[in-house]
Structure formats: structure tokens, C-alpha cells
Amino acid sequence: MGTQAAENYSPAKDERSAREKAIDDWLPITSSRNAKWWYSAFHNVTAMVGAGVLSLPYAMSELGWGPGIAVLIISWIITLYTLWQMVEMHEMVPGKRFDRYHELGQHAFGEKLGLWIVVPQQLVVEVGVNIVYMVTGGKSLKKFHDVICDNKCKDIKLTYFIMIFASVHFVLSQLPNFNSISGVSLAAAVMSLSYSTIAWGASVHKGKLPDVDYHLRATTTPGKVFGFFGALGDVAFAYAGHNVVLEIQATIPSTPEQPSKKPMWKGVIVAYIVVALCYFPVALIGYWAFGNKVDDNILITLNNPKWLIALANMMVVIHVIGSYQIYAMPVFDMIETVLVKKLGFPPGLTLRLISRTVYVAFTMFIAITFPFFGGLLGFFGGFAFAPTTYFLPCIMWLAIYKPKKFSLSWFTNWICIILGVLLMVLSPIGGLRQIIIDAKTYKFYS
């Protein structure tokens, strides 16, 4: 082995790899590989249990009891299966790790095509989530302020609350890599479980509304159909952690005897148990209590006890601070890779400060301009989350492993692909209609 290496020795190649290694040691995804399995657990919880959980009772009111429960359970099973595929594919080539979603895409579809298939979708998801979380953070801060003030304070525009929320990210976005945000991520994971428990606990405490109505929210046939489509997008948005799973796994050490997939999968299982404990009670109890009168954010529907609802909204703020960072980190990695490797900028603090500040400012500006929370969830949920979460891992699996036609693996993957494509086509239609309806009554920067 040593003589072979000596024979193949090339000074130019070595020099290049030393520079590449220095850049990889600086880039956020590959700079630190000493994470434990529980890092994987709370990073995945933070990535998965986002603000989407709060819209699940609203999604139930658009779907109805039977379809609603079926969509939730099927989504949980499919996304756990596709997440397992991603974890397995991370190190399927001996001696190589696919640390980024697009690197796996390039292996499956070819250098150029892989980039074109994965990167646009991944960027839409991650930037989309960051924009929606800016809106959610601002709305939850406003709700906290309004509940505490109880109509005694001056009304403050949502715009200012989004700016307050963004100010935290101008600071946090300077943390260099995934492991450096593990404390923020742990706090966020604890908060997600806490506010989900408050959401369904307060619903149980309040009890069923006396005039509760479980008919679909819309009264017209087009309204029901489009509402159904939009609700599918809300559910897809709730299961969105796949976009950062390879990047999370990249932080775990790996050897041939101890591959990273073992600790990663352990963390994923813990995360998915937490997901079930958050999603199912919130969706089912929230809908049971309020029926089709529930808001697109269950915490807005709940007003009492005031201190508890204020606390839950503050928990949402802390959680989406962590979630924003988890989804922003791969974007920072892409931006910094292009700036350093393609455009030749020297890696360093100045580059990081400018590039990340510009990105946070961009997501803040878009959030302030278009804060249609429910419609945004439905639109982004179907348009981008369905491919990257529900069926792109299956297509990669078929392309790489080539399972035998009509085998169990072949059938399973094709079922996931068909359901995922239907979700991708139908749900943005409902989400876009909701955005148009909201936009009719919306005043810019109000």
C-alpha cells in the first residue's frame, strides 16, 4: 500500500490536496467531526419539529378526521424510511463520505446533473424554512408581547418583531460549524417538546368547544379541494429534516469498524419518537378541541391561561432560533464553498462576517415583505419538501443499488416516489391559492 502511494506521488496533487484540506477544515460542515450520537438526536429534533407542528390542527381541519390521521401516519412512516436510506447512503463507498446532500446527488446522477437536481431544491427548502422561521419568530414575539400587555401597551407592528428576531441571528450566524451550535440546538429541541406539550395540554384543559364543528373548514367545493391540497403541504413541511441529515451525519466520527451510520441511526430513532410525541397529540387534540375554528397556529387560538400561552410563545421563539441556525448552516457552507473554491476569496473571519450577515438580512427582508405564514407553509411544503424528503432519497436508492424489479425494495421505493410526486404537484396549488387570498387584504410593511 505504501509503495503504491509512493509510486503515485505527485507534488502538485499533494499541494492541491493540502489546500483543499485546509479549506475543508474551515468550511462549516466538514470542520468538526467529533459529535456524539445524542448530538444527532437533538439536531434532528430541532430540524424536524419546527413551527410546522403548530399548523397540524389547522391541516386536520382541512383534511377531516380519517384522511388527516392517515396522512400523518403515512408521512411519519415514509419519512422515517427515506431518512434511513440517507443514513445508509452516507458511507456506501468505502473510504468516502457524502457529507452534503448534493454530493450524494452527484454520485447518483453524475457530477453536473446531480448538482442541478439537488442544489436548487435544497436551497429552496433551506432558504424557505429560514424565511418562514423569521415570520414565525416575529409572530410569536408579537403574540408574547400582546398576551403580556393584555391591550394595555402600544401596538407594535409585526415588522419590528421580525427585525428583533433577526438581530439574534446576526450574532449567532457567526458560530463556525454544526458542533458549535449544539448548545443552541439542544435548547431548541427541549423547547419544541415543551411547547408541543403546552399546545395539546392547554387544549385538553380548555376542553371541546361547545359548538365544535368537524366539517371541513371550507364551505364551497373548490375551497374544500384547494384546502385539502394546502393541508398536504402543511404536513410535508412538518417532516422536513432530511435536507440537513447528511450534513448532521458529517459531524460524527467514522472508522471502518465504527461507521457513523450506527450512532446517527440511534439519534434518528430517538428523534422520531420525539416527533411522534409532539405531532400526534398536537394535531389530534388541537382538532378535537377546536374543530374547524382552529387558527393556522394553534397557540394563537389558545388565549388562556395567559402566562402559559406567553411562555409557550417564548419557547417557540427559542426553538426557531435553533432551527433557523440548523437550516442556515448548509446554506452558509454552500455560499462559503463557492466564494472560496470558485471565486478564490481567502477563507477567514471577514468573509464569514460579510457573507452570513448578507444572508440573514436577505431572509429578514423577504419575511417582512411576505409574512403569510399558513400559505407559505403549504406552498414551500409541497414545492420543495416533498421531493427532498419523500422521494428523492428513493430515486437515489434505485439509481445506486438497482434493486431487483418487483422486489420488496423496488415496490417500496416506487410507492414512496408516486405518493411524493402527487404531494409535490397538488400541495403548492393549495398553498398558492391561500397566499393569493391573504394578499388581497394585506398591506405591505403594515
Side-chain angles (χ1 to χ4, degrees):
M1 189 78 184
T3 52
Q4 195 182 359
E7 279 168 27
N8 295 336
Y9 177 76
S10 149
K13 188 179 171 192
D14 244 49
E15 207 173 288
R16 188 194 65 79
S17 62
R19 182 178 179 272
E20 292 261 307
K21 188 182 178 306
I23 291 171
D24 283 342
D25 288 346
W26 179 78
L27 288 170
I29 301 300
T30 44
S31 62
S32 180
R33 291 201 195 270
N34 56 5
K36 306 287 186 283
W37 73 265
W38 52 88
Y39 283 41
S40 144
F42 53 73
H43 280 328
N44 275 296
V45 170
T46 303
M48 194 78 68
V49 188
V53 65
L54 301 174
S55 70
L56 289 178
Y58 182 87
M60 288 290 293
S61 74
E62 300 272 29
L63 295 166
W65 277 116
I69 293 170
V71 167
L72 278 176
I73 293 171
I74 291 167
S75 288
W76 191 88
I77 293 166
I78 288 178
T79 55
L80 180 59
Y81 172 66
T82 53
L83 199 48
W84 169 77
Q85 289 180 313
M86 302 274 291
V87 171
E88 284 290 314
M89 288 190 283
H90 182 84
E91 288 165 302
M92 69 189 150
V93 177
K96 183 169 170 56
R97 299 181 68 172
F98 298 111
D99 293 324
R100 298 164 178 89
Y101 205 142
H102 67 82
E103 289 174 9
L104 183 60
Q106 286 173 299
H107 180 70
F109 308 121
E111 282 294 311
K112 280 210 166 137
L113 186 62
L115 275 180
W116 281 106
I117 289 174
V118 177
V119 171
Q121 294 190 72
Q122 201 181 2
L123 276 175
V124 167
V125 170
E126 285 157 2
V127 178
V129 167
N130 284 158
I131 292 165
V132 171
Y133 283 174
M134 277 281 180
V135 176
T136 311
K139 281 196 169 181
S140 297
L141 274 174
K142 182 170 169 54
K143 178 75 174 173
F144 175 80
H145 170 267
D146 294 349
V147 168
I148 293 291
C149 282
D150 202 14
N151 299 323
K152 295 184 181 76
C153 312
K154 184 176 181 247
D155 188 45
I156 299 173
K157 286 184 195 177
L158 175 62
T159 299
Y160 295 122
F161 284 108
I162 293 174
M163 289 163 89
I164 293 165
F165 181 75
S167 64
V168 177
H169 294 293
F170 285 114
V171 178
L172 284 182
S173 65
Q174 296 307 315
L175 291 168
N177 54 41
F178 259 121
N179 283 352
S180 65
I181 58 169
S182 54
V184 180
S185 183
L186 175 61
V190 171
M191 290 300 135
S192 61
L193 192 55
S194 307
Y195 71 68
S196 298
T197 308
I198 288 174
W200 66 259
S203 299
V204 169
H205 176 75
K206 194 159 189 167
K208 202 194 282 192
L209 287 181
D211 56 342
V212 71
D213 184 357
Y214 298 124
H215 288 99
L216 294 184
R217 173 179 291 271
T219 47
T220 63
T221 304
K224 286 177 183 174
V225 172
F226 285 118
F228 190 92
F229 291 168
L232 291 176
D234 288 351
V235 175
F237 186 92
Y239 289 98
H242 295 49
N243 286 276
V244 291
V245 72
L246 293 176
E247 286 82 352
I248 293 170
Q249 194 168 342
T251 64
I252 296 174
S254 183
T255 61
E257 302 76 43
Q258 281 291 316
S260 65
K261 66 182 179 185
K262 288 181 182 173
M264 182 66 186
W265 183 239
K266 204 171 169 184
V268 167
I269 290 293
V270 171
Y272 255 74
I273 291 167
V274 174
V275 166
L277 291 174
C278 292
Y279 284 19
F280 291 100
V282 172
L284 304 180
I285 295 170
Y287 183 50
W288 165 81
F290 301 107
N292 59 19
K293 300 276 192 301
V294 72
D295 284 287
D296 65 359
N297 178 338
I298 178 94
L299 293 180
I300 292 171
T301 315
L302 294 158
N303 281 314
N304 288 308
K306 283 198 170 5
W307 65 270
L308 191 64
I309 302 310
L311 179 68
N313 276 284
M314 211 59 220
M315 286 173 172
V316 173
V317 172
I318 295 167
H319 176 251
V320 289
I321 285 172
S323 277
Y324 183 99
Q325 289 301 319
I326 290 279
Y327 280 94
M329 202 54 82
V331 182
F332 296 153
D333 184 79
M334 283 187 213
I335 293 168
E336 287 159 21
T337 300
V338 169
L339 290 174
V340 173
K341 290 188 177 176
K342 296 271 190 293
L343 303 176
F345 283 92
L349 193 63
T350 312
L351 180 75
R352 191 161 271 169
L353 185 69
I354 295 167
S355 62
R356 296 187 180 191
T357 302
V358 168
Y359 176 75
V360 174
F362 167 75
T363 54
M364 177 188 78
F365 172 73
I366 301 294
I368 288 168
T369 312
F370 306 107
F372 318 121
F373 182 60
L376 283 174
L377 281 186
F379 184 70
F380 283 126
F383 182 63
F385 290 80
T388 52
T389 304
Y390 285 75
F391 67 85
L392 201 52
C394 298
I395 294 173
M396 289 178 181
W397 189 272
L398 290 173
I400 294 164
Y401 288 108
K402 298 182 173 56
K404 207 171 142 200
K405 259 192 188 176
F406 308 117
S407 64
L408 181 62
S409 173
W410 187 89
F411 266 120
T412 308
N413 285 299
W414 274 108
I415 290 166
C416 293
I417 291 166
I418 291 161
L419 291 174
V421 170
L422 282 172
L423 186 62
M424 180 185 77
V425 173
L426 299 177
S427 53
I429 300 168
L432 192 60
R433 178 177 178 267
Q434 193 57 49
I435 291 171
I436 292 163
I437 290 168
D438 290 345
K440 280 181 182 172
T441 55
Y442 177 68
K443 290 185 180 70
F444 276 104
Y445 310 114
S446 57

